[in-house]
PDB file of all heavy atoms in Angstrom:
ATOM      1  N   PRO E  37     -32.681  47.636 131.970  1.00 98.00           N
ATOM      2  CA  PRO E  37     -33.389  47.010 133.099  1.00 98.00           C
ATOM      3  C   PRO E  37     -33.855  45.598 132.760  1.00 98.00           C
ATOM      4  O   PRO E  37     -34.361  45.339 131.670  1.00 98.00           O
ATOM      5  CB  PRO E  37     -34.582  47.945 133.331  1.00 98.00           C
ATOM      6  CG  PRO E  37     -34.747  48.717 132.071  1.00 98.00           C
ATOM      7  CD  PRO E  37     -33.399  48.809 131.442  1.00 98.00           C
ATOM      8  N   ILE E  38     -33.655  44.685 133.719  1.00 98.00           N
ATOM      9  CA  ILE E  38     -34.144  43.311 133.615  1.00 98.00           C
ATOM     10  C   ILE E  38     -35.139  43.106 134.753  1.00 98.00           C
ATOM     11  O   ILE E  38     -34.770  43.224 135.927  1.00 98.00           O
ATOM     12  CB  ILE E  38     -32.999  42.291 133.727  1.00 98.00           C
ATOM     13  CG1 ILE E  38     -31.961  42.516 132.622  1.00 98.00           C
ATOM     14  CG2 ILE E  38     -33.540  40.870 133.677  1.00 98.00           C
ATOM     15  CD1 ILE E  38     -30.712  41.664 132.771  1.00 98.00           C
ATOM     16  N   VAL E  39     -36.385  42.837 134.404  1.00 98.00           N
ATOM     17  CA  VAL E  39     -37.423  42.635 135.413  1.00 98.00           C
ATOM     18  C   VAL E  39     -37.779  41.154 135.430  1.00 98.00           C
ATOM     19  O   VAL E  39     -38.287  40.613 134.447  1.00 98.00           O
ATOM     20  CB  VAL E  39     -38.671  43.491 135.115  1.00 98.00           C
ATOM     21  CG1 VAL E  39     -39.725  43.284 136.200  1.00 98.00           C
ATOM     22  CG2 VAL E  39     -38.295  44.965 135.016  1.00 98.00           C
ATOM     23  N   PHE E  40     -37.495  40.521 136.548  1.00 98.00           N
ATOM     24  CA  PHE E  40     -37.695  39.077 136.686  1.00 98.00           C
ATOM     25  C   PHE E  40     -38.919  38.816 137.553  1.00 98.00           C
ATOM     26  O   PHE E  40     -38.992  39.286 138.695  1.00 98.00           O
ATOM     27  CB  PHE E  40     -36.462  38.431 137.310  1.00 98.00           C
ATOM     28  CG  PHE E  40     -36.569  36.935 137.466  1.00 98.00           C
ATOM     29  CD1 PHE E  40     -36.377  36.101 136.373  1.00 98.00           C
ATOM     30  CD2 PHE E  40     -36.872  36.365 138.692  1.00 98.00           C
ATOM     31  CE1 PHE E  40     -36.493  34.714 136.504  1.00 98.00           C
ATOM     32  CE2 PHE E  40     -36.970  34.991 138.835  1.00 98.00           C
ATOM     33  CZ  PHE E  40     -36.783  34.168 137.733  1.00 98.00           C
ATOM     34  N   THR E  41     -39.902  38.070 137.025  1.00 98.00           N
ATOM     35  CA  THR E  41     -41.129  37.810 137.773  1.00 98.00           C
ATOM     36  C   THR E  41     -41.312  36.332 138.116  1.00 98.00           C
ATOM     37  O   THR E  41     -42.353  35.945 138.638  1.00 98.00           O
ATOM     38  CB  THR E  41     -42.365  38.288 136.971  1.00 98.00           C
ATOM     39  OG1 THR E  41     -42.556  37.423 135.841  1.00 98.00           O
ATOM     40  CG2 THR E  41     -42.204  39.718 136.495  1.00 98.00           C
ATOM     41  N   GLY E  42     -40.302  35.521 137.852  1.00 97.00           N
ATOM     42  CA  GLY E  42     -40.417  34.087 138.104  1.00 97.00           C
ATOM     43  C   GLY E  42     -39.933  33.692 139.487  1.00 97.00           C
ATOM     44  O   GLY E  42     -39.715  34.530 140.367  1.00 97.00           O
ATOM     45  N   ALA E  43     -39.762  32.382 139.674  1.00 97.00           N
ATOM     46  CA  ALA E  43     -39.296  31.846 140.962  1.00 97.00           C
ATOM     47  C   ALA E  43     -37.797  32.085 141.082  1.00 97.00           C
ATOM     48  O   ALA E  43     -37.005  31.487 140.340  1.00 97.00           O
ATOM     49  CB  ALA E  43     -39.620  30.362 141.055  1.00 97.00           C
ATOM     50  N   ILE E  44     -37.398  32.933 142.019  1.00 98.00           N
ATOM     51  CA  ILE E  44     -36.006  33.351 142.128  1.00 98.00           C
ATOM     52  C   ILE E  44     -35.102  32.196 142.546  1.00 98.00           C
ATOM     53  O   ILE E  44     -33.950  32.088 142.110  1.00 98.00           O
ATOM     54  CB  ILE E  44     -35.860  34.546 143.101  1.00 98.00           C
ATOM     55  CG1 ILE E  44     -34.430  35.063 143.139  1.00 98.00           C
ATOM     56  CG2 ILE E  44     -36.351  34.198 144.486  1.00 98.00           C
ATOM     57  CD1 ILE E  44     -33.911  35.582 141.812  1.00 98.00           C
ATOM     58  N   ASP E  45     -35.606  31.262 143.369  1.00 97.00           N
ATOM     59  CA  ASP E  45     -34.768  30.135 143.780  1.00 97.00           C
ATOM     60  C   ASP E  45     -34.475  29.214 142.598  1.00 97.00           C
ATOM     61  O   ASP E  45     -33.359  28.717 142.439  1.00 97.00           O
ATOM     62  CB  ASP E  45     -35.418  29.363 144.930  1.00 97.00           C
ATOM     63  CG  ASP E  45     -36.802  28.832 144.594  1.00 97.00           C
ATOM     64  OD1 ASP E  45     -37.482  29.429 143.730  1.00 97.00           O
ATOM     65  OD2 ASP E  45     -37.225  27.829 145.203  1.00 97.00           O
ATOM     66  N   GLU E  46     -35.468  29.020 141.723  1.00 97.00           N
ATOM     67  CA  GLU E  46     -35.281  28.126 140.583  1.00 97.00           C
ATOM     68  C   GLU E  46     -34.348  28.729 139.531  1.00 97.00           C
ATOM     69  O   GLU E  46     -33.694  27.998 138.784  1.00 97.00           O
ATOM     70  CB  GLU E  46     -36.635  27.774 139.975  1.00 97.00           C
ATOM     71  CG  GLU E  46     -37.475  26.900 140.912  1.00 97.00           C
ATOM     72  CD  GLU E  46     -38.882  26.642 140.396  1.00 97.00           C
ATOM     73  OE1 GLU E  46     -39.119  26.870 139.187  1.00 97.00           O
ATOM     74  OE2 GLU E  46     -39.735  26.231 141.197  1.00 97.00           O
ATOM     75  N   LEU E  47     -34.287  30.058 139.485  1.00 97.00           N
ATOM     76  CA  LEU E  47     -33.362  30.705 138.556  1.00 97.00           C
ATOM     77  C   LEU E  47     -31.923  30.304 138.869  1.00 97.00           C
ATOM     78  O   LEU E  47     -31.084  30.205 137.979  1.00 97.00           O
ATOM     79  CB  LEU E  47     -33.524  32.225 138.637  1.00 97.00           C
ATOM     80  CG  LEU E  47     -32.626  33.059 137.714  1.00 97.00           C
ATOM     81  CD1 LEU E  47     -32.922  32.769 136.236  1.00 97.00           C
ATOM     82  CD2 LEU E  47     -32.803  34.551 137.998  1.00 97.00           C
ATOM     83  N   PHE E  48     -31.659  30.064 140.146  1.00 97.00           N
ATOM     84  CA  PHE E  48     -30.314  29.675 140.580  1.00 97.00           C
ATOM     85  C   PHE E  48     -30.254  28.209 141.006  1.00 97.00           C
ATOM     86  O   PHE E  48     -29.442  27.827 141.862  1.00 97.00           O
ATOM     87  CB  PHE E  48     -29.845  30.587 141.721  1.00 97.00           C
ATOM     88  CG  PHE E  48     -29.649  32.018 141.298  1.00 97.00           C
ATOM     89  CD1 PHE E  48     -30.614  32.975 141.566  1.00 97.00           C
ATOM     90  CD2 PHE E  48     -28.517  32.400 140.596  1.00 97.00           C
ATOM     91  CE1 PHE E  48     -30.444  34.289 141.163  1.00 97.00           C
ATOM     92  CE2 PHE E  48     -28.332  33.716 140.184  1.00 97.00           C
ATOM     93  CZ  PHE E  48     -29.305  34.665 140.459  1.00 97.00           C
ATOM     94  N   ASP E  49     -31.134  27.401 140.409  1.00 96.00           N
ATOM     95  CA  ASP E  49     -31.153  25.952 140.654  1.00 96.00           C
ATOM     96  C   ASP E  49     -31.252  25.612 142.135  1.00 96.00           C
ATOM     97  O   ASP E  49     -30.698  24.596 142.595  1.00 96.00           O
ATOM     98  CB  ASP E  49     -29.913  25.292 140.035  1.00 96.00           C
ATOM     99  CG  ASP E  49     -29.882  25.425 138.527  1.00 96.00           C
ATOM    100  OD1 ASP E  49     -30.944  25.256 137.906  1.00 96.00           O
ATOM    101  OD2 ASP E  49     -28.795  25.734 137.973  1.00 96.00           O
ATOM    102  N   CYS E  50     -31.940  26.478 142.882  1.00 96.00           N
ATOM    103  CA  CYS E  50     -32.191  26.249 144.319  1.00 96.00           C
ATOM    104  C   CYS E  50     -30.903  26.004 145.099  1.00 96.00           C
ATOM    105  O   CYS E  50     -30.883  25.215 146.058  1.00 96.00           O
ATOM    106  CB  CYS E  50     -33.164  25.081 144.514  1.00 96.00           C
ATOM    107  SG  CYS E  50     -34.779  25.320 143.732  1.00 96.00           S
ATOM    108  N   LYS E  51     -29.825  26.675 144.699  1.00 97.00           N
ATOM    109  CA  LYS E  51     -28.522  26.380 145.319  1.00 97.00           C
ATOM    110  C   LYS E  51     -28.453  26.813 146.786  1.00 97.00           C
ATOM    111  O   LYS E  51     -27.602  26.306 147.534  1.00 97.00           O
ATOM    112  CB  LYS E  51     -27.397  27.034 144.515  1.00 97.00           C
ATOM    113  CG  LYS E  51     -27.325  28.545 144.564  1.00 97.00           C
ATOM    114  CD  LYS E  51     -26.116  29.017 143.766  1.00 97.00           C
ATOM    115  CE  LYS E  51     -25.881  30.512 143.879  1.00 97.00           C
ATOM    116  NZ  LYS E  51     -24.677  30.942 143.131  1.00 97.00           N
ATOM    117  N   LEU E  52     -29.332  27.712 147.206  1.00 97.00           N
ATOM    118  CA  LEU E  52     -29.385  28.102 148.621  1.00 97.00           C
ATOM    119  C   LEU E  52     -30.498  27.377 149.366  1.00 97.00           C
ATOM    120  O   LEU E  52     -30.688  27.569 150.561  1.00 97.00           O
ATOM    121  CB  LEU E  52     -29.594  29.616 148.740  1.00 97.00           C
ATOM    122  CG  LEU E  52     -28.567  30.518 148.052  1.00 97.00           C
ATOM    123  CD1 LEU E  52     -28.928  31.974 148.229  1.00 97.00           C
ATOM    124  CD2 LEU E  52     -27.169  30.248 148.602  1.00 97.00           C
ATOM    125  N   GLY E  53     -31.235  26.542 148.639  1.00 97.00           N
ATOM    126  CA  GLY E  53     -32.389  25.841 149.200  1.00 97.00           C
ATOM    127  C   GLY E  53     -33.637  26.156 148.388  1.00 97.00           C
ATOM    128  O   GLY E  53     -33.712  27.201 147.740  1.00 97.00           O
ATOM    129  N   GLN E  54     -34.606  25.241 148.411  1.00 96.00           N
ATOM    130  CA  GLN E  54     -35.844  25.433 147.652  1.00 96.00           C
ATOM    131  C   GLN E  54     -36.887  26.141 148.502  1.00 96.00           C
ATOM    132  O   GLN E  54     -37.157  25.750 149.637  1.00 96.00           O
ATOM    133  CB  GLN E  54     -36.401  24.091 147.174  1.00 96.00           C
ATOM    134  CG  GLN E  54     -37.639  24.232 146.292  1.00 96.00           C
ATOM    135  CD  GLN E  54     -38.109  22.905 145.704  1.00 96.00           C
ATOM    136  OE1 GLN E  54     -37.655  21.851 146.108  1.00 96.00           O
ATOM    137  NE2 GLN E  54     -39.012  22.967 144.745  1.00 96.00           N
ATOM    138  N   LEU E  55     -37.477  27.195 147.948  1.00 97.00           N
ATOM    139  CA  LEU E  55     -38.543  27.911 148.643  1.00 97.00           C
ATOM    140  C   LEU E  55     -39.824  27.068 148.609  1.00 97.00           C
ATOM    141  O   LEU E  55     -40.258  26.639 147.545  1.00 97.00           O
ATOM    142  CB  LEU E  55     -38.792  29.270 147.982  1.00 97.00           C
ATOM    143  CG  LEU E  55     -37.712  30.323 148.234  1.00 97.00           C
ATOM    144  CD1 LEU E  55     -37.865  31.501 147.286  1.00 97.00           C
ATOM    145  CD2 LEU E  55     -37.767  30.798 149.682  1.00 97.00           C
ATOM    146  N   PRO E  56     -40.451  26.838 149.762  1.00 96.00           N
ATOM    147  CA  PRO E  56     -41.645  25.986 149.806  1.00 96.00           C
ATOM    148  C   PRO E  56     -42.896  26.712 149.302  1.00 96.00           C
ATOM    149  O   PRO E  56     -43.108  27.892 149.585  1.00 96.00           O
ATOM    150  CB  PRO E  56     -41.786  25.655 151.302  1.00 96.00           C
ATOM    151  CG  PRO E  56     -40.460  25.991 151.910  1.00 96.00           C
ATOM    152  CD  PRO E  56     -39.941  27.138 151.111  1.00 96.00           C
ATOM    153  N   TYR E  57     -43.700  25.977 148.558  1.00 96.00           N
ATOM    154  CA  TYR E  57     -44.992  26.465 148.072  1.00 96.00           C
ATOM    155  C   TYR E  57     -46.025  25.364 148.251  1.00 96.00           C
ATOM    156  O   TYR E  57     -45.702  24.194 148.426  1.00 96.00           O
ATOM    157  CB  TYR E  57     -44.933  26.797 146.574  1.00 96.00           C
ATOM    158  CG  TYR E  57     -44.105  27.988 146.195  1.00 96.00           C
ATOM    159  CD1 TYR E  57     -42.746  27.854 145.915  1.00 96.00           C
ATOM    160  CD2 TYR E  57     -44.682  29.249 146.077  1.00 96.00           C
ATOM    161  CE1 TYR E  57     -41.984  28.947 145.536  1.00 96.00           C
ATOM    162  CE2 TYR E  57     -43.926  30.348 145.695  1.00 96.00           C
ATOM    163  CZ  TYR E  57     -42.577  30.192 145.421  1.00 96.00           C
ATOM    164  OH  TYR E  57     -41.824  31.275 145.049  1.00 96.00           O
ATOM    165  N   ARG E  58     -47.293  25.770 148.139  1.00 95.00           N
ATOM    166  CA  ARG E  58     -48.369  24.818 147.942  1.00 95.00           C
ATOM    167  C   ARG E  58     -48.758  24.843 146.474  1.00 95.00           C
ATOM    168  O   ARG E  58     -48.796  25.899 145.845  1.00 95.00           O
ATOM    169  CB  ARG E  58     -49.584  25.172 148.800  1.00 95.00           C
ATOM    170  CG  ARG E  58     -49.329  25.004 150.283  1.00 95.00           C
ATOM    171  CD  ARG E  58     -49.114  23.564 150.685  1.00 95.00           C
ATOM    172  NE  ARG E  58     -50.376  22.805 150.699  1.00 95.00           N
ATOM    173  CZ  ARG E  58     -50.444  21.492 150.795  1.00 95.00           C
ATOM    174  NH1 ARG E  58     -49.336  20.766 150.848  1.00 95.00           N
ATOM    175  NH2 ARG E  58     -51.618  20.883 150.821  1.00 95.00           N
ATOM    176  N   SER E  59     -49.028  23.676 145.935  1.00 97.00           N
ATOM    177  CA  SER E  59     -49.466  23.574 144.562  1.00 97.00           C
ATOM    178  C   SER E  59     -50.897  23.042 144.529  1.00 97.00           C
ATOM    179  O   SER E  59     -51.510  22.793 145.576  1.00 97.00           O
ATOM    180  CB  SER E  59     -48.537  22.653 143.772  1.00 97.00           C
ATOM    181  OG  SER E  59     -48.849  22.702 142.399  1.00 97.00           O
ATOM    182  N   LEU E  60     -51.437  22.882 143.338  1.00 97.00           N
ATOM    183  CA  LEU E  60     -52.801  22.400 143.166  1.00 97.00           C
ATOM    184  C   LEU E  60     -52.864  21.425 142.001  1.00 97.00           C
ATOM    185  O   LEU E  60     -52.168  21.603 141.002  1.00 97.00           O
ATOM    186  CB  LEU E  60     -53.764  23.566 142.869  1.00 97.00           C
ATOM    187  CG  LEU E  60     -53.962  24.628 143.958  1.00 97.00           C
ATOM    188  CD1 LEU E  60     -54.636  25.862 143.360  1.00 97.00           C
ATOM    189  CD2 LEU E  60     -54.787  24.081 145.106  1.00 97.00           C
ATOM    190  N   ASP E  61     -53.687  20.402 142.150  1.00 97.00           N
ATOM    191  CA  ASP E  61     -54.085  19.561 141.029  1.00 97.00           C
ATOM    192  C   ASP E  61     -55.509  19.956 140.653  1.00 97.00           C
ATOM    193  O   ASP E  61     -56.371  20.105 141.524  1.00 97.00           O
ATOM    194  CB  ASP E  61     -54.061  18.079 141.409  1.00 97.00           C
ATOM    195  CG  ASP E  61     -52.696  17.453 141.206  1.00 97.00           C
ATOM    196  OD1 ASP E  61     -51.845  18.103 140.573  1.00 97.00           O
ATOM    197  OD2 ASP E  61     -52.481  16.330 141.689  1.00 97.00           O
ATOM    198  N   PHE E  62     -55.746  20.120 139.357  1.00 98.00           N
ATOM    199  CA  PHE E  62     -57.070  20.506 138.884  1.00 98.00           C
ATOM    200  C   PHE E  62     -57.708  19.349 138.120  1.00 98.00           C
ATOM    201  O   PHE E  62     -57.066  18.728 137.276  1.00 98.00           O
ATOM    202  CB  PHE E  62     -56.995  21.729 137.969  1.00 98.00           C
ATOM    203  CG  PHE E  62     -56.524  22.977 138.664  1.00 98.00           C
ATOM    204  CD1 PHE E  62     -55.347  23.600 138.272  1.00 98.00           C
ATOM    205  CD2 PHE E  62     -57.259  23.544 139.694  1.00 98.00           C
ATOM    206  CE1 PHE E  62     -54.918  24.752 138.899  1.00 98.00           C
ATOM    207  CE2 PHE E  62     -56.835  24.692 140.320  1.00 98.00           C
ATOM    208  CZ  PHE E  62     -55.665  25.301 139.928  1.00 98.00           C
ATOM    209  N   LYS E  63     -58.964  19.100 138.405  1.00 98.00           N
ATOM    210  CA  LYS E  63     -59.722  18.101 137.658  1.00 98.00           C
ATOM    211  C   LYS E  63     -60.916  18.803 136.998  1.00 98.00           C
ATOM    212  O   LYS E  63     -61.816  19.291 137.694  1.00 98.00           O
ATOM    213  CB  LYS E  63     -60.209  16.969 138.568  1.00 98.00           C
ATOM    214  CG  LYS E  63     -60.950  15.869 137.808  1.00 98.00           C
ATOM    215  CD  LYS E  63     -61.446  14.774 138.739  1.00 98.00           C
ATOM    216  CE  LYS E  63     -62.190  13.684 137.952  1.00 98.00           C
ATOM    217  NZ  LYS E  63     -62.770  12.661 138.854  1.00 98.00           N
ATOM    218  N   PHE E  64     -60.887  18.877 135.677  1.00 98.00           N
ATOM    219  CA  PHE E  64     -61.984  19.487 134.923  1.00 98.00           C
ATOM    220  C   PHE E  64     -63.029  18.424 134.603  1.00 98.00           C
ATOM    221  O   PHE E  64     -62.695  17.298 134.227  1.00 98.00           O
ATOM    222  CB  PHE E  64     -61.460  20.097 133.616  1.00 98.00           C
ATOM    223  CG  PHE E  64     -60.594  21.318 133.809  1.00 98.00           C
ATOM    224  CD1 PHE E  64     -59.231  21.199 134.009  1.00 98.00           C
ATOM    225  CD2 PHE E  64     -61.147  22.588 133.790  1.00 98.00           C
ATOM    226  CE1 PHE E  64     -58.428  22.312 134.192  1.00 98.00           C
ATOM    227  CE2 PHE E  64     -60.357  23.708 133.974  1.00 98.00           C
ATOM    228  CZ  PHE E  64     -58.996  23.579 134.170  1.00 98.00           C
ATOM    229  N   GLU E  65     -64.301  18.789 134.745  1.00 98.00           N
ATOM    230  CA  GLU E  65     -65.395  17.884 134.414  1.00 98.00           C
ATOM    231  C   GLU E  65     -66.442  18.650 133.617  1.00 98.00           C
ATOM    232  O   GLU E  65     -66.713  19.820 133.909  1.00 98.00           O
ATOM    233  CB  GLU E  65     -66.030  17.295 135.684  1.00 98.00           C
ATOM    234  CG  GLU E  65     -65.073  16.453 136.513  1.00 98.00           C
ATOM    235  CD  GLU E  65     -65.701  15.949 137.813  1.00 98.00           C
ATOM    236  OE1 GLU E  65     -66.880  16.273 138.064  1.00 98.00           O
ATOM    237  OE2 GLU E  65     -65.001  15.253 138.576  1.00 98.00           O
ATOM    238  N   HIS E  66     -67.008  18.002 132.621  1.00 98.00           N
ATOM    239  CA  HIS E  66     -68.034  18.639 131.786  1.00 98.00           C
ATOM    240  C   HIS E  66     -69.356  17.896 131.938  1.00 98.00           C
ATOM    241  O   HIS E  66     -69.378  16.660 132.045  1.00 98.00           O
ATOM    242  CB  HIS E  66     -67.612  18.633 130.310  1.00 98.00           C
ATOM    243  CG  HIS E  66     -68.534  19.416 129.430  1.00 98.00           C
ATOM    244  ND1 HIS E  66     -68.524  20.792 129.384  1.00 98.00           N
ATOM    245  CD2 HIS E  66     -69.520  19.010 128.591  1.00 98.00           C
ATOM    246  CE1 HIS E  66     -69.444  21.201 128.548  1.00 98.00           C
ATOM    247  NE2 HIS E  66     -70.062  20.147 128.053  1.00 98.00           N
ATOM    248  N   TYR E  67     -70.449  18.672 131.978  1.00 98.00           N
ATOM    249  CA  TYR E  67     -71.765  18.075 132.182  1.00 98.00           C
ATOM    250  C   TYR E  67     -72.745  18.599 131.133  1.00 98.00           C
ATOM    251  O   TYR E  67     -72.739  19.786 130.804  1.00 98.00           O
ATOM    252  CB  TYR E  67     -72.285  18.406 133.588  1.00 98.00           C
ATOM    253  CG  TYR E  67     -71.497  17.705 134.669  1.00 98.00           C
ATOM    254  CD1 TYR E  67     -70.363  18.306 135.231  1.00 98.00           C
ATOM    255  CD2 TYR E  67     -71.864  16.438 135.115  1.00 98.00           C
ATOM    256  CE1 TYR E  67     -69.634  17.663 136.207  1.00 98.00           C
ATOM    257  CE2 TYR E  67     -71.134  15.791 136.096  1.00 98.00           C
ATOM    258  CZ  TYR E  67     -70.016  16.399 136.643  1.00 98.00           C
ATOM    259  OH  TYR E  67     -69.299  15.753 137.597  1.00 98.00           O
ATOM    260  N   ASP E  68     -73.592  17.695 130.651  1.00 98.00           N
ATOM    261  CA  ASP E  68     -74.618  18.055 129.664  1.00 98.00           C
ATOM    262  C   ASP E  68     -75.851  18.589 130.387  1.00 98.00           C
ATOM    263  O   ASP E  68     -76.953  18.017 130.307  1.00 98.00           O
ATOM    264  CB  ASP E  68     -74.971  16.842 128.799  1.00 98.00           C
ATOM    265  CG  ASP E  68     -73.857  16.498 127.824  1.00 98.00           C
ATOM    266  OD1 ASP E  68     -73.191  17.425 127.333  1.00 98.00           O
ATOM    267  OD2 ASP E  68     -73.648  15.300 127.567  1.00 98.00           O
ATOM    268  N   GLN E  69     -75.659  19.656 131.126  1.00 98.00           N
ATOM    269  CA  GLN E  69     -76.743  20.356 131.807  1.00 98.00           C
ATOM    270  C   GLN E  69     -76.358  21.820 131.897  1.00 98.00           C
ATOM    271  O   GLN E  69     -75.178  22.168 131.792  1.00 98.00           O
ATOM    272  CB  GLN E  69     -76.975  19.764 133.204  1.00 98.00           C
ATOM    273  CG  GLN E  69     -75.756  19.844 134.118  1.00 98.00           C
ATOM    274  CD  GLN E  69     -75.857  18.920 135.315  1.00 98.00           C
ATOM    275  OE1 GLN E  69     -75.956  17.700 135.160  1.00 98.00           O
ATOM    276  NE2 GLN E  69     -75.844  19.498 136.522  1.00 98.00           N
ATOM    277  N   GLU E  70     -77.351  22.687 132.098  1.00 98.00           N
ATOM    278  CA  GLU E  70     -77.062  24.122 132.027  1.00 98.00           C
ATOM    279  C   GLU E  70     -76.165  24.577 133.181  1.00 98.00           C
ATOM    280  O   GLU E  70     -75.217  25.324 132.965  1.00 98.00           O
ATOM    281  CB  GLU E  70     -78.363  24.925 132.016  1.00 98.00           C
ATOM    282  CG  GLU E  70     -78.128  26.403 131.714  1.00 98.00           C
ATOM    283  CD  GLU E  70     -79.415  27.183 131.553  1.00 98.00           C
ATOM    284  OE1 GLU E  70     -80.499  26.612 131.778  1.00 98.00           O
ATOM    285  OE2 GLU E  70     -79.338  28.370 131.198  1.00 98.00           O
ATOM    286  N   PHE E  71     -76.467  24.125 134.396  1.00 98.00           N
ATOM    287  CA  PHE E  71     -75.651  24.480 135.551  1.00 98.00           C
ATOM    288  C   PHE E  71     -75.440  23.259 136.440  1.00 98.00           C
ATOM    289  O   PHE E  71     -76.284  22.358 136.496  1.00 98.00           O
ATOM    290  CB  PHE E  71     -76.290  25.614 136.358  1.00 98.00           C
ATOM    291  CG  PHE E  71     -76.196  26.957 135.677  1.00 98.00           C
ATOM    292  CD1 PHE E  71     -77.294  27.484 135.010  1.00 98.00           C
ATOM    293  CD2 PHE E  71     -75.010  27.677 135.681  1.00 98.00           C
ATOM    294  CE1 PHE E  71     -77.211  28.707 134.369  1.00 98.00           C
ATOM    295  CE2 PHE E  71     -74.923  28.902 135.042  1.00 98.00           C
ATOM    296  CZ  PHE E  71     -76.022  29.420 134.380  1.00 98.00           C
ATOM    297  N   TYR E  72     -74.321  23.259 137.140  1.00 98.00           N
ATOM    298  CA  TYR E  72     -73.965  22.141 138.014  1.00 98.00           C
ATOM    299  C   TYR E  72     -74.266  22.466 139.474  1.00 98.00           C
ATOM    300  O   TYR E  72     -74.634  21.592 140.248  1.00 98.00           O
ATOM    301  CB  TYR E  72     -72.479  21.821 137.848  1.00 98.00           C
ATOM    302  CG  TYR E  72     -71.953  20.714 138.725  1.00 98.00           C
ATOM    303  CD1 TYR E  72     -72.067  19.384 138.336  1.00 98.00           C
ATOM    304  CD2 TYR E  72     -71.346  20.992 139.953  1.00 98.00           C
ATOM    305  CE1 TYR E  72     -71.594  18.354 139.136  1.00 98.00           C
ATOM    306  CE2 TYR E  72     -70.862  19.976 140.760  1.00 98.00           C
ATOM    307  CZ  TYR E  72     -70.983  18.664 140.351  1.00 98.00           C
ATOM    308  OH  TYR E  72     -70.512  17.647 141.146  1.00 98.00           O
ATOM    309  N   GLN E  73     -74.059  23.738 139.869  1.00 98.00           N
ATOM    310  CA  GLN E  73     -74.213  24.129 141.271  1.00 98.00           C
ATOM    311  C   GLN E  73     -74.868  25.510 141.351  1.00 98.00           C
ATOM    312  O   GLN E  73     -75.140  26.138 140.328  1.00 98.00           O
ATOM    313  CB  GLN E  73     -72.861  24.111 141.998  1.00 98.00           C
ATOM    314  CG  GLN E  73     -71.809  25.017 141.375  1.00 98.00           C
ATOM    315  CD  GLN E  73     -70.410  24.772 141.926  1.00 98.00           C
ATOM    316  OE1 GLN E  73     -70.079  23.688 142.409  1.00 98.00           O
ATOM    317  NE2 GLN E  73     -69.565  25.804 141.868  1.00 98.00           N
ATOM    318  N   SER E  74     -75.111  25.987 142.577  1.00 96.00           N
ATOM    319  CA  SER E  74     -75.927  27.197 142.767  1.00 96.00           C
ATOM    320  C   SER E  74     -75.142  28.490 142.649  1.00 96.00           C
ATOM    321  O   SER E  74     -75.720  29.559 142.414  1.00 96.00           O
ATOM    322  CB  SER E  74     -76.603  27.146 144.141  1.00 96.00           C
ATOM    323  OG  SER E  74     -75.612  27.126 145.173  1.00 96.00           O
TER     324      SER E  74
END
């Protein structure tokens, strides 16, 4: 058995078309205080 959990379109170089997704950009920030928000 081969269990594939990745992006199936990318496995085949999107030859039938690329499946659309939303992505995210993350910005990490550090603060010299105990808490930033509630």
